[in-house]
Amino acid sequence: MIKADELVLPAVAALRPYEPGKPIEEVQRELGIGEPAKLASNENPAGPSPMAVAAIKAALNDLHRYPDGSSWSLRHKIAAKHRVPAERIFMGSGSCEILNLLVYLFLRPGLNAVIAEHSFVIYQLAIAASGGAAKVVPLRPDYVFDLDAMAAAIDERTRLVFLGNPNNPTGTIYRKAEWRRFLQRVPERVVIVADEAYFEFVRDFDYPDSLEDHDGRRMLVTLRTFSKIFGLAGLRVGYAVAREDITRLLNSVRQPFNITSLGQVAVEAGMDDHEHVRRTLKINADGMAYLEREFGRMGLPFLPSQANFILVEVGDGHAVYEKLLREGVIVRPMNGYGLPRHVRVSVGLSEENRRMIAALERVLGRAAGRNPGFSKN
Ligand SMILES: *Cc1c(COP(=O)(O)O)cnc(C)c1O
């Protein structure tokens, strides 16, 4: 019998499927645990916007209809928000779909994409699936992207550069001066992808908003998503802002109905829910301060984060992840990201954060001498 593996590119046969954060139902099924705290996928702990939920309920009776394949109304609304023509907005089934489509368009065997070490694994998976090569550039010692080294890594065969700002899983950002210098150095034929999935969480004033650098000459693609601060990860909606020649190509290769009808109406309503965004930012800022304080108290090294998650060094990351599972807390092990001593923890509601810290103390054996039955933390 011929194996299907023999019929595809060797790089594709060697791939392993993306491992998402462990779903709550799976932990309950496998470990019989009541209600685990899921702090593994950088989801919004405040839930979805009530305005988005109401819009979905109102649209349910039209589910027999195909969605608007051009997401006309939603796309125009996003375009107005960013003050760009609607032709420069491309809607994707999550920004992950757009990452895949960009690789599909611009990469093939013999060509390469430049990425940073310890960045979003989807970049690597998409590149490998195309048969193209990834040129992986190490981070600086402070775990920030080394944009000078990334620019230097670009060669004749480079077609794409992927930048996460903030980066997942480090939570670090690159700043305006480095970014401007990078833009000067990148040749015009290279597509620069600025993945800004955590844009709204950033507090550093020196953070560059890549939308300000669309000058019509560069091939710059800015990616944003409704999965994180807007709390709509389950709907799968993200978008790109790019030159019209790029959005036209993306539109030619996407599925005709890639954004569901419910996704379109929910995002259109949820976009305006500024109260929900404010509440989310408050939960995140408070939770982040708490986690930094507690990790500090426990002597665990962590990276200051500009996003809604934090990377913390715990020793054997995978072992700690498994022990935390048995305590009913789901975090993300980082072996797949080349960080076997770390776990990534999403900021949750305050009771979820407290539960995670208490479980981590039990797992690491640092609560010795304290009687957990009487401890209020
Ligand atoms: C979560 C995340 C995304 C968003 O993915 P969606 O497909 O929009 O849900 C994109 N990039 C990074 C780095 C992320 O962490």
Side-chain angles (χ1 to χ4, degrees):
M1 192 183 73
I2 296 174
K3 280 199 151 165
D5 277 10
E6 297 164 27
L7 304 174
V8 301
L9 288 168
V12 174
L15 282 175
R16 292 288 163 271
Y18 175 71
E19 250 185 68
K22 215 168 173 60
I24 287 175
E25 298 73 22
E26 194 175 313
V27 175
Q28 288 177 318
R29 206 162 50 234
E30 288 176 5
L31 300 170
I33 281 162
E35 184 63 26
K38 188 184 177 202
L39 303 173
S41 299
N42 308 338
E43 294 151 342
N44 189 331
S49 146
M51 285 163 69
V53 174
I56 286 179
K57 284 183 181 158
L60 284 176
N61 285 329
D62 288 323
L63 279 183
H64 58 303
R65 303 285 179 205
Y66 276 101
D68 171 0
S70 75
S71 301
W72 196 94
S73 177
L74 174 58
R75 206 159 38 79
H76 278 76
K77 187 162 179 175
I78 292 170
K81 176 179 165 183
H82 295 309
R83 297 169 209 274
V84 299
E87 292 68 36
R88 292 190 42 216
I89 305 292
F90 175 81
M91 302 303 307
S93 174
S95 35
C96 284
E97 183 193 25
I98 310 176
L99 291 168
N100 278 315
L101 291 177
L102 287 167
V103 170
Y104 179 76
L105 283 171
F106 294 108
L107 224 55
R108 65 193 79 99
L111 301 176
N112 70 66
V114 171
I115 59 172
E117 187 189 16
H118 311 312
S119 62
F120 199 32
V121 285
I122 297 285
Y123 310 149
Q124 295 226 32
L125 284 178
I127 294 164
S130 77
K135 289 186 95 175
V136 184
V137 178
L139 299 181
R140 301 190 325 206
D142 57 359
Y143 287 84
V144 172
F145 280 12
D146 190 339
L147 289 190
D148 293 325
M150 291 181 83
I154 292 171
D155 63 28
E156 287 297 306
R157 304 192 147 268
T158 303
R159 293 292 180 273
L160 286 156
V161 183
F162 287 106
L163 303 172
N165 206 36
N167 179 46
N168 175 7
T170 57
T172 51
I173 59 166
Y174 50 80
R175 293 178 166 72
K176 286 178 183 166
E178 302 134 60
W179 168 243
R180 296 276 137 75
R181 204 161 60 229
F182 177 80
L183 288 177
Q184 295 302 320
R185 288 184 63 183
V186 176
E188 275 187 21
R189 84 187 121 72
V190 175
V191 178
I192 304 167
V193 183
D195 179 356
E196 297 176 344
Y198 303 95
F199 176 85
E200 297 85 356
F201 290 101
V202 177
R203 286 171 288 178
D204 192 317
F205 66 89
D206 205 17
Y207 173 68
D209 173 353
S210 70
L211 285 180
E212 290 171 12
D213 296 294
H214 286 253
D215 60 1
R217 187 181 55 86
R218 293 186 186 96
M219 290 214 274
L220 177 57
V221 179
T222 299
L223 298 183
R224 301 277 172 87
T225 182
F226 293 98
S227 298
K228 305 289 157 62
I229 197 152
F230 292 99
L232 299 171
L235 284 176
R236 317 300 308 122
V237 187
Y239 63 95
V241 184
R243 258 170 33 183
E244 216 178 311
D245 56 342
I246 297 178
T247 58
R248 192 188 59 77
L249 287 170
L250 287 166
N251 276 314
S252 319
V253 294
R254 71 171 168 90
Q255 280 195 65
F257 302 104
N258 63 338
I259 313 298
T260 64
S261 52
L262 299 186
Q264 292 182 38
V265 295
V267 164
E268 225 185 304
M271 268 177 80
D272 287 333
D273 197 343
H274 305 295
E275 177 50 36
H276 180 256
V277 167
R278 247 195 314 278
R279 196 170 351 120
T280 304
L281 286 175
K282 172 92 170 82
I283 290 169
N284 194 62
D286 292 350
M288 189 66 87
Y290 168 78
L291 292 180
E292 288 186 348
R293 210 160 53 234
E294 290 297 302
F295 291 150
R297 181 179 60 77
M298 294 165 75
L300 300 174
F302 61 87
L303 281 178
S305 167
Q306 293 288 326
N308 64 346
F309 56 84
I310 184 164
L311 189 68
V312 58
E313 189 176 337
V314 292
D316 182 342
H318 202 266
V320 168
Y321 153 75
E322 292 208 311
K323 287 180 187 161
L324 284 175
L325 273 186
R326 270 173 248 129
E327 299 276 342
V329 175
I330 318 173
V331 299
R332 196 67 164 268
M334 288 284 111
N335 312 57
Y337 285 83
L339 294 162
R341 295 183 52 77
H342 293 74
V343 293
R344 191 194 67 200
V345 183
S346 308
V347 177
L349 298 172
S350 63
E351 57 269 27
E352 295 173 313
N353 299 331
R354 280 201 299 273
R355 230 175 113 184
M356 189 275 298
I357 291 292
L360 191 59
E361 284 199 301
R362 283 193 295 274
V363 161
L364 295 176
R366 292 188 197 210
R370 264 211 253 152
N371 182 339
F374 291 96
S375 172
K376 278 271 183 280
N377 327 325

